[in-house]
Amino acid sequence: MCQFYDFPWKSPPRTRFHQVTLLHEEIHYEWGTINTKVSPPLHREQLKLTHHSALETLPQDCWVQILDEISPSDAASVVATSRGLQVSSESSLYHRVDIDWTRPPLKRVLILFRVIHKRPDLAEQIHHVSMVTSKLVYPAAEPEDEWELPQIDGDWGQLSSLFQDEVNAAKDIIIKAQFPSSEMWIRALEHGDPYAFVAVLLSQLHNIRSLQLDHTFVWQAGLPGLMMKHALLSAPENTLSRFSQLSVVEYGLNVPGPRKYLDTRWDFIDAFPVCDPDQFAGWFYLPSLKSLEIWTQNLEDISNELSKPAESSKLAHLAQLERLALTESSVDEDDVRKLLSHLSSLKSLHLGLVYPSQDKELYYNCCSPQPPLKKKGVLLEGLMSVKDTVEHLSISVELCPVWWPAVWGAIERDNGTPQESFKPFKGVLMQFPLLQTAELPAVMLFGWTHADAPALSELLPPTLRKLAIRENLQQTEDYEWETDQVGEAIQKFLPFAPSVTPMLNTITMRSFGIGEEGDLDPDHSIGARSTCEKLGLDIDISMIQYNLSPGLWTTHRELQEGSLRDLTKL
């Protein structure tokens, strides 16, 4: 049975991908599908303009603003009433491209590529591109199974003869720009791969400001990332965009959680699909980067550059980065430390780190070869390098594939113990003088064991407004911080909240057990909510179940209503 996960961010503005194509010597508008209901299109008679109409005398910038505020179908109807409006308002229709990637729409991608190729002036008008699924479905029938790519909407056998000019144009770009592995690119284009066409299309957008790409782009050969690396580091001049204005990037942030280990199979599985490691480095070289949210499996390509002093590194521009989110990322902690040391302006940070729960080399099926924090002090040192600027912090640590019980490490490995690893993090939030929101695993906030845990009042800075406590590593051996223990710690803290954290307005207990309706954990925030009411405190206390990794308050797009299961409402 498929498990369904609501997409965890608010939908982009209602304007969807729309384009102008010259067919049969007429102008036609093709609009991307939208999930929300739109108003019925206006009738042409309602919008008919006379030559001397006052509407036609409106300045172009007024028309642009009007078209940005109305629905796509209405905008098409308005523009269709006048050739003058078609010409003057055409550019505003391309300001934002938004394509639902639930089933990658091959024809729509090809038509967009056709327009961009024939009309480079319209390519200059595209500032924002979003290609993410509107409804994230777990990409396997069961969590134990290998992932499967979404079905493409479109038959290349039927479309290929209609778009040979676009195939040839894309191949010409690959050849002229001297793409590495050009044969692979050409083969993908000749087989109608929508991921390849999107990557080539993006390479021609010189004024793009923001980009959001679905996690399947990372998993399916990583073509946008490979293109970005080549465009910024090795492409001949004037062949590809240099992305000088691209400042906001979301690349695979909506990746689902890891696979589960099936105990009836005595073999080793990949928690996530193995992705092309060369696709990640390019994003860090974007010269105007302010926000990067990425599913990355390594930082090896930039590790050497990160080892240099920030001022002499080719990555010196990372000093302007204000938001970083690494989600479900199997990156080395030392590379994370080096990366954070370059981020002197960082305000928002999500570290979503995953670690292997199986030691294949020793033929163990449930022992981690390198559990979290094995390199003592490394991750903490990285956090201390950004403590004076970060206002929003979330951290996730997971052993995966998911296994019960996951073992911290085999006897043959000198991995230490969880108690030793998490002890230095007690009180870590107190080191962040500007911290407004925080989200940590319970074992990182309190320490591994319950008996010697400090009171919550000793762990929170006075600037804090929102706190989330995550149930990470709950499937690890000897895990003690079940949600009932967390709820009890919150309840004991509440009498001290007004004096310790006077601005605190939200406390969330966050578990990760979304499954069937009957699998819901009991709501262990009830006692804390009752105490809060008795004390007359204005603090929203809840327990939610949610299966995606990113922090509640550390992503560029806010969480979507209805994407979480709030147990207080059940």
Side-chain angles (χ1 to χ4, degrees):
M1 176 181 235
C2 288
Q3 295 191 23
F4 292 85
Y5 303 92
D6 286 329
F7 188 63
W9 297 280
K10 284 183 179 177
S11 300
R14 289 179 62 189
T15 304
R16 289 298 195 258
F17 159 52
H18 37 275
Q19 63 205 36
V20 183
T21 55
L22 298 177
L23 299 174
H24 308 299
E25 300 182 347
E26 296 181 8
I27 293 182
H28 297 263
Y29 292 87
E30 300 205 14
W31 303 87
T33 58
I34 57 178
N35 295 323
T36 55
K37 195 178 283 187
V38 300
S39 58
L42 300 174
H43 295 294
R44 185 177 298 248
E45 290 76 12
Q46 294 176 277
L47 295 164
K48 199 174 227 178
L49 304 177
T50 65
H51 180 69
H52 299 289
S53 170
L55 290 176
E56 283 194 326
T57 66
L58 281 175
Q60 181 179 350
D61 57 345
C62 291
W63 275 115
V64 170
Q65 188 168 352
I66 291 171
L67 293 174
D68 282 344
E69 294 296 326
I70 63 179
S71 70
S73 57
D74 285 352
S77 297
V78 169
V79 173
T81 63
S82 165
R83 176 62 181 169
L85 285 180
Q86 291 172 359
V87 174
S88 64
S89 304
E90 192 176 52
S91 62
S92 70
L93 298 177
Y94 284 83
H95 188 65
R96 181 182 298 275
V97 172
D98 188 355
I99 298 180
D100 188 341
W101 209 254
T102 304
R103 291 186 61 195
L106 177 58
K107 183 179 180 181
R108 198 170 306 282
V109 169
L110 292 167
I111 293 174
L112 177 60
F113 184 87
R114 171 181 290 171
V115 174
I116 296 309
H117 176 62
K118 290 184 176 181
R119 295 284 305 277
D121 59 308
L122 292 180
E124 299 292 329
Q125 303 303 321
I126 296 178
H127 292 171
H128 310 284
V129 174
S130 176
M131 298 183 186
V132 294
T133 180
S134 60
K135 181 72 173 182
L136 187 62
V137 180
Y138 198 82
E142 298 292 342
E144 300 87 357
D145 297 338
E146 291 187 13
W147 288 8
E148 298 177 358
L149 283 166
Q151 184 179 357
I152 293 173
D153 182 9
D155 184 348
W156 180 241
Q158 297 178 359
L159 295 173
S160 58
S161 61
L162 302 176
F163 291 96
Q164 275 307 303
D165 288 346
E166 285 64 47
V167 173
N168 293 332
K171 288 163 61 176
D172 286 344
I173 293 172
I174 296 297
I175 294 169
K176 290 178 181 178
Q178 300 176 19
F179 271 57
S181 304
S182 59
E183 299 85 357
M184 177 270 291
W185 283 90
I186 290 173
R187 184 167 56 252
L189 294 168
E190 290 178 340
H191 285 80
D193 185 344
Y195 295 89
F197 277 100
V198 168
V200 179
L201 184 154
L202 292 174
S203 76
Q204 304 302 298
L205 303 184
H206 297 275
N207 288 329
I208 186 171
R209 269 80 159 168
S210 71
L211 175 64
Q212 298 167 343
L213 293 179
D214 194 71
H215 75 277
T216 55
F217 282 91
V218 183
W219 164 27
Q220 178 63 5
L223 298 178
L226 297 177
M227 177 277 296
M228 186 64 63
K229 180 180 179 181
H230 180 54
L232 296 179
L233 299 180
S234 54
E237 290 290 334
N238 302 318
T239 57
L240 305 178
S241 172
R242 295 301 187 189
F243 300 98
S244 60
Q245 300 184 68
L246 181 53
S247 62
V248 177
V249 173
E250 176 189 316
Y251 188 52
L253 186 68
N254 63 337
V255 60
R259 292 172 63 192
K260 292 184 179 180
Y261 180 82
L262 185 62
D263 56 6
T264 59
R265 301 178 188 165
W266 291 93
D267 57 3
F268 301 91
I269 66 172
D270 292 314
F272 298 93
V274 178
C275 302
D276 191 322
D278 293 331
Q279 67 178 295
F280 304 115
W283 304 106
F284 292 89
Y285 284 93
L286 285 167
S288 300
L289 193 62
K290 293 290 186 67
S291 174
L292 177 61
E293 300 170 320
I294 185 171
W295 170 32
T296 176
Q297 296 187 341
N298 71 74
L299 297 175
E300 293 174 3
D301 277 1
I302 61 172
S303 182
N304 290 337
E305 204 64 39
L306 291 174
S307 299
K308 300 176 183 178
E311 59 275 6
S312 61
S313 168
K314 293 179 181 178
L315 297 171
H317 59 276
L318 290 179
Q320 68 190 355
L321 190 71
E322 297 180 358
R323 182 190 306 275
L324 174 67
L326 304 179
T327 187
E328 304 290 16
S329 296
S330 51
V331 297
D332 187 271
E333 289 178 2
D334 198 51
D335 286 337
V336 174
R337 176 190 63 81
K338 290 186 287 187
L339 174 60
L340 293 178
S341 70
H342 283 65
L343 309 184
S344 56
S345 300
L346 195 66
K347 295 181 180 179
S348 179
L349 173 65
H350 172 70
L351 292 181
L353 305 179
V354 296
Y355 302 81
S357 60
Q358 298 175 316
D359 196 329
K360 188 172 184 179
E361 182 181 340
L362 293 178
Y363 295 97
Y364 281 70
N365 64 357
C366 59
C367 294
S368 175
Q370 183 171 310
L373 313 178
K374 179 179 180 179
K375 298 180 178 179
K376 292 181 175 58
V378 169
L379 192 61
L380 186 59
E381 181 183 341
L383 290 171
M384 291 302 98
S385 67
V386 297
K387 66 181 179 62
D388 292 329
T389 60
V390 166
E391 300 174 6
H392 307 279
L393 174 68
S394 59
I395 300 176
S396 170
V397 289
E398 303 172 72
L399 285 172
C400 59
V402 178
W403 163 268
W404 179 266
V407 179
W408 198 255
I411 298 175
E412 291 86 345
R413 304 293 191 194
D414 184 18
N415 287 332
T417 65
Q419 293 90 328
E420 296 169 348
S421 298
F422 283 102
K423 185 176 181 180
F425 283 86
K426 288 184 182 179
V428 65
L429 297 183
M430 301 293 285
Q431 303 299 315
F432 290 77
L434 303 179
L435 198 63
Q436 297 181 31
T437 70
E439 182 172 342
L440 292 180
V443 293
M444 186 172 281
L445 181 64
F446 296 105
W448 187 259
T449 55
H450 181 264
D452 60 350
L456 189 55
S457 57
E458 302 174 19
L459 302 174
L460 304 181
T463 56
L464 198 65
R465 298 174 183 269
K466 299 180 186 293
L467 172 68
I469 303 175
R470 302 172 69 107
E471 197 185 25
N472 287 144
L473 299 175
Q474 76 274 18
Q475 293 182 319
T476 309
E477 57 178 349
D478 302 324
Y479 182 83
E480 296 185 8
W481 283 102
E482 304 292 347
T483 52
D484 57 339
Q485 300 284 7
V486 174
E488 181 182 331
I490 294 172
Q491 192 170 358
K492 291 179 179 179
F493 158 73
L494 289 174
F496 305 96
S499 58
V500 174
T501 53
M503 293 183 285
L504 187 67
N505 58 50
T506 302
I507 301 177
T508 300
M509 298 164 58
R510 185 173 174 189
S511 66
F512 294 83
I514 290 182
E516 299 300 321
E517 290 292 336
D519 294 338
L520 292 172
D521 290 339
D523 181 6
H524 288 126
S525 66
I526 295 176
R529 284 203 306 280
S530 176
T531 299
C532 191
E533 291 176 4
K534 290 178 182 177
L535 295 172
L537 300 178
D538 188 16
I539 300 177
D540 182 14
I541 301 175
S542 63
M543 179 175 170
I544 61 175
Q545 288 188 336
Y546 176 48
N547 209 45
L548 298 183
S549 175
L552 298 176
W553 308 296
T554 49
T555 55
H556 178 67
R557 289 186 283 160
E558 296 178 359
L559 291 168
Q560 181 181 13
E561 291 184 16
S563 65
L564 313 178
R565 288 189 182 176
D566 185 345
L567 301 191
T568 67
K569 305 255 182 9
L570 297 179

